[in-house]
Structure formats: structure tokens, C-alpha cells
Amino acid sequence: MPTSLSRTGVASLGAAAMTLSGLLVTGVVVAQPAAAADPSGYQNVRINEVTSSNSDTVELYNSGSAAVSVSGWKMSDDSFSAQSFSPSASSIPAGGFVTFDSPKGLGDSDKLVVYTSGGTVVDRVDWAGDKAKPAMARCGGDGTGAWVTTTTATFGAANSGGCPASVPAASRVRINEVTSNGSDTVELYNGGTSAVSVGSWKYTDGDTGHSPVSVSSSSPSATSIPAGGYVTFDSSLGLGDNDSLFLLDGSGDTVDSVTWAADGAKPSDERCANGTGWFRTATTATLGSANSCSGSGGGGGQTGQLLGGGGSLTSGCAPEAPSGTGATPAGTLAWPGGLDVTIADNVCAFTTTTGPEGRDLSGLAFDPANPSVLWAAKNKNWLFKLVKSNGKWVPDASWSATGKQIRFAGGSGEPDSEGLTVGANGHVYVTSERDNADNTVPKDTVMEFDPAATGSTLTPVHQWDMTAQFPQLDTGDKDDANLGFEGVGYVPDSWLTANGWVDPRTGAAYNPANYPLHGSGLFFAGLEWDGSLHVYGLNSDGTFTTFGTVATGKASVMDVTFDAGTQRLVATCDNTCGETHTFLKVGTAGAIVPDVTYTNPAVMPADNLEGFALAPASTCVNGFREAVWSDDGVYGFGSGSSSYGHALYSGTFPC
């Protein structure tokens, strides 16, 4: 590997000489800040926005799960040595921002380098003429998005408000994987829909004494990246521990960057999800192909940790590997919450008499009236009331230590229960795709259960059958019958009316009084077949009113929830759609439309994660609340991993 002075925190040496790995190195090294210890988590801090207009303001964003001190940090541009700056706060909270005004003006064509107090390069951005007016900002995700000239500056807040409707084709190219393990190889990925020429592009590392090197000089064949394709090249600068890589286009504008701590790029640092997610340390390098995302998180930039687990599989518990994995949709943003995730159940906790293999936990919903309760539906006709015990979600023994079996109206059948939600009356509403006793025939129903009912088996207070609306599922094939109602969310009338939802039945503003038997909200059932949401008023006399469909923009939907904290309806898709959550709003025309889509924290496995729930905002602590996922196959990272045999994962989401 070529010798590099990258990220060594060396002070100005003038014309001094030093010995490095037995090689005599002489010359002038660009002045760096005086050596001091690097703060924990510095590699999770990114330059997020910068302007060369008037104030010359800079914004830093912390993508990590813990606050990072910026005390003593410095900055430089292309014409002056590192100088101290005065940040708006001494530390950056997890998922938060600090801003500062450059101690010396930033030009129309300039660069900005930020250092820790120990002299380590944290991040860098370069721009050509007027590209930082009104500002240059990361678009497509704070801290990880592509650098784009924005329409308005948004210092101290998320960049989405100033981002243009679409980013240039070149900005779809991302550093996707990098290794400092001998070959020092870099992989670029084009997530756009057209080829991008990269023959004139350059790259550099974290040593500010290095001039950028052209990609083509390192790999003469690397002239263009096809849509959805890759280019790799070996760095001629040498990449070390505690280093960075910066990619510049032909004009000198920064396209992308990554920073890693000690051994973070061994065997490699890679984006998870491929092309869009945060960087994490991989188990195996996958240069030139899609990232495996098989690592545990540890040393790289913007990583999380999967914690907890343990215990051996109980007799009869048989985890199932994921199936149907698809690509993450274009435009998906990185998970906005904490990057660390905890295993949140006991191993093989959901074995039942009809599901002894322990799989098939699906729908999740917090009880809005009692956020210490999490409801869960198991496909093979079981309902669980879960409470926290020693940091894990366990069955509430006062309700049932083993869950309660549910039946269709009349006490018959075995509902293939997939999704659930809690209505305004405190009752639990469960969807079913079919009767598992006759699984080739669809039975798309919503069942209302009173959780206060006694006994070990529950029958519906009301049941609504919508099967006739979906003839495409009635083919005699059990797989088609299994693509019906996968999730359901209760949405209060107050949200629909306050946001100007237009009633599809009348073409006028929704008026709940027109539907006197429906209660105080509507139910949005997610169809796995095509990712659409079907809107119903569930009437107290057993009839229902259909309010049409909502397009989620997803190929499939596995869970649906209404989140009062963000005032959004959330449609979740598992690995079929790259583990993503689409937040929907009422648009300006009165229709419900997608607003933003997030992927899961990068540390999580790419499994059939069919359930998703966000705790009510009333539970917020330090700006975050709990998010919970359920794995339908309890597979985790596979046999022998700490997550094997577990169904529930717990993380955090902003308030």
C-alpha cells in the first residue's frame, strides 16, 4: 500500500523530516491543528450545508446515536490554515445540528475542511463557481445525501425544505464501498436512471497535503457508470485507518464522501442499504456488486450496533430465511432515528399450538391510551398483549402469558391474522387474508375484538368481509390468496378534516356526519398484492363504506399505522421493497399522497420484517421515542447469530 500521512493528526512540520514505516519522508506538510484526543463519534459528523453568500455559514449534522463534542474543532479553506470557529453549541446532539460562521470568507469557488481538535479530518466539501449560493446542501437525507445547490438555505434544520424536486444525474453516483485493507479499493455506484461519465472525476483522501487524483488515472477503463451499475478503482494515494475519501466531479464539486475510524474499512466499509444507506463495516467485501450488508456495524462512519439477544433455540423453534428481497426505491432517505438497535424479545418467544415453529409474528401497534402496551398479531390466529420487562417486550401475564387465540365470527376458522390497529374505542382491529383451515381461498376481513373479554379464545364483536372486492386473489392458488390484507391502520376523522381530505365518494371535503354509523375514524387496509391502501368506514351494524384506494408508490405493503407524532399515515414494506417506510400526508389537492420514505437502520437484517410501530410522542425522551419491528421469520442474521430466533427489534425515532 502506498505510504500516506492521512489522518495522523500531525502538526506543522515545516521542512522537517520524519521516519514512517522505515521510509524517510521530507518536505512541507500543510498546517494542522495541534494534536489532541478525537471525540467519540466524530466520524458520524458531516458537513451538511454551506453558503459562500454574506454570512459564509456552515452547518454540521450528527448522524450518530450519541452527542459529539465539537469543542476545539477547526476549519480551513483552500487558502488559509486551520482556524478556530465558534459553533452555536459545544456539542451536536444525536440527529441534531450546529452552525457556525466561517472565521474567514468563503469564495465562489472554494473548499471547506473541518478538523477535530486532534487534527483529524472530519469532512470536506469542494464547490465551483457560485454553487454555494444560496447554499450547497446534502439532499436526499441529512448527513448522507448528495451535494446539490439548494433553492433556499435551511441552516439549523433539515435540508429537505430547501432541496430541489430532483437532483442532477451526477449526484446519483455514490461512494458505495471502500477498503483500506491492502488494495485500497473504491467502489462507485450509480443509483440513477441514466449512465454518468466519470472519466474527468477526481478523488482524494483525508490528507490535506494530497492533491486530488483522477479516477481515470487509477482505472483507465472507469470512464462511465451505467444506470444501476458499478465502477471500481484502486486508490493511488493509499487509504489508512482513521481516514476519509472524497469524490469530486469534473467541475471540482464534491459528489460524496465517507470517513471511517480505526479498522473501519477492513475488510471494507459499505453502504447499507446498497447505494443509499449509512456506511458500516462489512464482514466480506463485495466490490463490483451489490453490498451484502452482512456486518455488525462497528468502526466505520455512520454505523449502529445490534445489541442484545442470546439464548439457545428451544425445541421445535424453526426460523425461516427471508424471501422476495427487492431493491430500495429511488429517493429513499436514511433512517432518521438512532442507528443502534436492540433485540427486544426472548428467543423463540412466540411458539403456539398452531404455530410451534415460533415464526409468523406480523402486525404491531402501540396502544395510544396506554403506550406501555404493544399489541402483536401472529399469522396463525393469535393475538398478544406485550409489556416491557427488563428491556424486552414479553406477553402480559395478567392478560395471557401465551397469547389468546382468535376466531372468525361465530367462533369458527383460523384467521390468517396479519395486521392490527387500536380504534378510538380501545378495541383491537385485526385483518386476515384467508382462513388457514382452507388456505387456497381468500378471506379478506377486518375483525373487531374487545381485549377486555374473558377467556383464552376471542371472537369478533363485529366482522367486515371485503373479499369480493379482490377477485384477483381468488385463483385457487394459496400464494395468491396470501396477498390480501397485510396491515391496517385507524385514522381519526379529526386528522382527515383538519388536513382538508377530499371524500372520494362525493368529490367534496370529507364530512364525517354523512356517515353516522362509522364511529370517529376510518380504517386503511394495506393490500400486499400491489401496495395499495383501501379505505373503509366500519359501521356498527356490520356493513362498511368504501372510500376508494390510496397509492403508496410501493410494490407491496406489510403494515399500516397512523403516527400522531409526525401527523402522517405510514405504509411499511419489508425486504420486498428494501425495508422501507413511506410516510403519507394529505396533499394540496386533498388526496392522500406519499411524502417521504425512510429505510431501516443499517444495522438491521434484511428479513421479512412485516410489523412496524412507533410509540406515541408522549413517551419521548431527549427528542426520541421507541420504534419496534417484527420479523415474520425470526431469522435475524442467520444460524448462529445473536439475532437468530428473535422476532422483535427496538430502535429510536425522532419526536
Side-chain angles (χ1 to χ4, degrees):
M1 182 177 75
T3 302
S4 171
L5 296 182
S6 309
R7 311 301 292 260
T8 56
V10 182
S12 176
L13 299 177
M18 62 178 290
T19 300
L20 179 63
S21 301
L23 177 68
L24 185 65
V25 182
T26 63
V28 177
V29 178
V30 174
Q32 303 274 349
D38 290 327
S40 176
Y42 76 87
Q43 70 272 20
N44 295 323
V45 174
R46 318 306 289 154
I47 301 171
N48 202 48
E49 188 173 10
V50 60
T51 177
S52 61
S53 178
N54 299 322
S55 62
D56 300 324
T57 302
V58 178
E59 175 187 86
L60 304 179
Y61 173 75
N62 177 10
S63 65
S65 58
V68 177
S69 170
V70 295
S71 178
W73 285 24
K74 297 186 178 183
M75 61 154 287
S76 67
D77 72 352
D78 65 356
S79 62
F80 67 94
S81 60
Q83 298 186 18
S84 299
F85 58 82
S86 299
S88 57
S90 61
S91 66
I92 316 177
F97 309 86
V98 299
T99 61
F100 64 88
D101 292 342
S102 171
K104 187 175 182 181
L106 299 174
D108 291 340
S109 180
D110 212 338
K111 77 178 178 185
L112 170 72
V113 186
V114 173
Y115 309 86
T116 69
S117 56
T120 298
V121 172
V122 177
D123 200 9
R124 162 180 167 167
V125 60
D126 298 59
W127 61 93
D130 289 335
K131 291 295 182 70
K133 293 182 179 179
M136 271 187 70
R138 293 182 183 269
C139 290
D142 286 298
T144 190
W147 281 105
V148 176
T149 300
T150 58
T151 56
T152 56
T154 58
F155 290 103
N159 288 345
S160 56
C163 289
S166 61
V167 300
S171 296
R172 298 288 187 182
V173 174
R174 315 311 304 280
I175 300 171
N176 201 45
E177 188 170 11
V178 60
T179 175
S180 63
N181 196 19
S183 60
D184 303 328
T185 303
V186 178
E187 175 190 85
L188 306 181
Y189 171 73
N190 179 5
T193 57
S194 60
V196 175
S197 174
V198 296
S200 63
W201 288 20
K202 296 182 179 182
Y203 66 92
T204 190
D205 66 353
D207 187 338
T208 54
H210 284 161
S211 297
V213 176
S214 67
V215 171
S216 59
S217 69
S218 297
S219 179
S221 62
T223 58
S224 179
I225 312 179
Y230 306 85
V231 155
T232 63
F233 61 90
D234 294 340
S235 169
S236 63
L237 296 171
L239 300 175
D241 294 342
N242 295 81
D243 210 343
S244 304
L245 183 79
F246 306 100
L247 180 66
L248 313 174
D249 66 16
S251 299
D253 295 329
T254 293
V255 177
D256 200 10
S257 64
V258 58
T259 295
W260 58 91
D263 289 334
K266 295 179 180 179
S268 77
D269 235 29
E270 63 179 9
R271 286 190 183 274
C272 297
N274 186 61
T276 61
W278 300 108
F279 278 92
R280 55 184 274 190
T281 303
T283 300
T284 304
T286 56
L287 297 161
S289 61
N291 292 342
S292 62
C293 298
S294 58
S296 60
Q302 304 98 26
T303 62
Q305 288 185 306
L306 184 61
L307 307 172
S312 59
L313 300 189
T314 58
S315 176
C317 182
E320 181 178 60
S323 61
T325 299
T328 302
T332 298
L333 304 184
W335 177 252
L339 301 181
D340 290 344
V341 174
T342 301
I343 295 170
D345 64 339
N346 293 315
V347 67
C348 295
F350 298 98
T351 57
T352 62
T353 57
T354 59
E357 77 290 334
R359 301 192 299 263
D360 293 325
L361 196 70
S362 187
L364 297 174
F366 279 94
D367 190 331
N370 185 2
S372 62
V373 169
L374 180 68
W375 291 98
K378 182 177 166 69
N379 296 177
K380 296 178 174 65
N381 65 301
W382 289 83
L383 188 63
F384 289 86
K385 181 182 181 182
L386 306 176
V387 293
K388 272 285 181 72
S389 176
N390 295 321
K392 294 183 177 180
W393 288 102
V394 300
D396 181 356
S398 66
W399 192 75
S400 172
T402 56
K404 293 191 178 185
Q405 198 166 16
I406 61 174
R407 300 290 190 182
F408 288 116
S412 64
E414 298 179 0
D416 185 13
S417 40
E418 294 280 0
L420 82 164
T421 189
V422 180
N425 58 1
H427 288 187
V428 178
Y429 293 75
V430 180
T431 58
S432 180
E433 294 180 319
R434 55 188 180 174
D435 184 342
N436 281 325
D438 186 13
N439 66 6
T440 64
V441 180
K443 192 174 179 65
D444 290 286
T445 60
V446 181
M447 298 163 285
E448 176 188 354
F449 296 99
D450 181 357
T454 58
S456 59
T457 302
L458 300 177
T459 55
V461 176
H462 295 100
Q463 178 174 302
W464 298 269
D465 193 330
M466 293 83 169
T467 308
Q469 293 187 345
F470 309 105
Q472 70 271 32
L473 306 180
D474 193 8
T475 64
D477 187 316
K478 66 181 180 65
D479 291 333
D480 288 341
N482 196 40
L483 296 175
F485 285 164
E486 188 76 12
V488 65
Y490 169 79
V491 178
D493 285 339
S494 57
W495 182 76
L496 296 168
T497 56
N499 287 277
W501 184 56
V502 172
D503 184 343
R505 298 174 59 87
T506 65
Y510 172 60
N511 182 2
N514 292 338
Y515 309 98
L517 300 180
H518 83 292
S520 57
L522 303 181
F523 291 80
F524 288 64
L527 196 70
E528 185 177 3
W529 172 271
D530 61 3
S532 58
L533 304 183
H534 296 257
V535 190
Y536 300 103
L538 303 182
N539 299 323
S540 57
D541 62 358
T543 63
F544 61 87
T545 304
T546 301
F547 289 88
T549 62
V550 173
T552 64
K554 306 168 84 76
S556 198
V557 169
M558 277 66 187
D559 208 356
V560 184
T561 186
F562 174 74
D563 177 44
T566 57
Q567 288 291 292
R568 294 293 186 268
L569 183 64
V570 186
T572 288
C573 185
D574 63 4
N575 57 315
T576 305
C577 316
E579 309 285 6
T580 49
H581 312 278
T582 296
F583 287 62
L584 300 102
K585 64 180 181 180
V586 178
T588 55
I592 295 176
V593 296
D595 182 21
V596 64
T597 298
Y598 298 112
T599 190
N600 281 342
V603 73
M604 292 186 67
D607 288 342
N608 296 135
L609 300 171
E610 294 192 353
F612 178 67
L614 291 172
S618 61
T619 65
C620 286
V621 176
N622 296 326
F624 288 89
R625 53 196 165 120
E626 187 174 17
V628 185
W629 297 260
S630 63
D631 179 3
D632 183 64
V634 296
Y635 189 73
F637 284 108
S639 179
S641 70
S642 63
S643 50
Y644 194 59
H646 290 275
L648 296 179
Y649 298 87
S650 175
T652 58
F653 190 84
C655 295

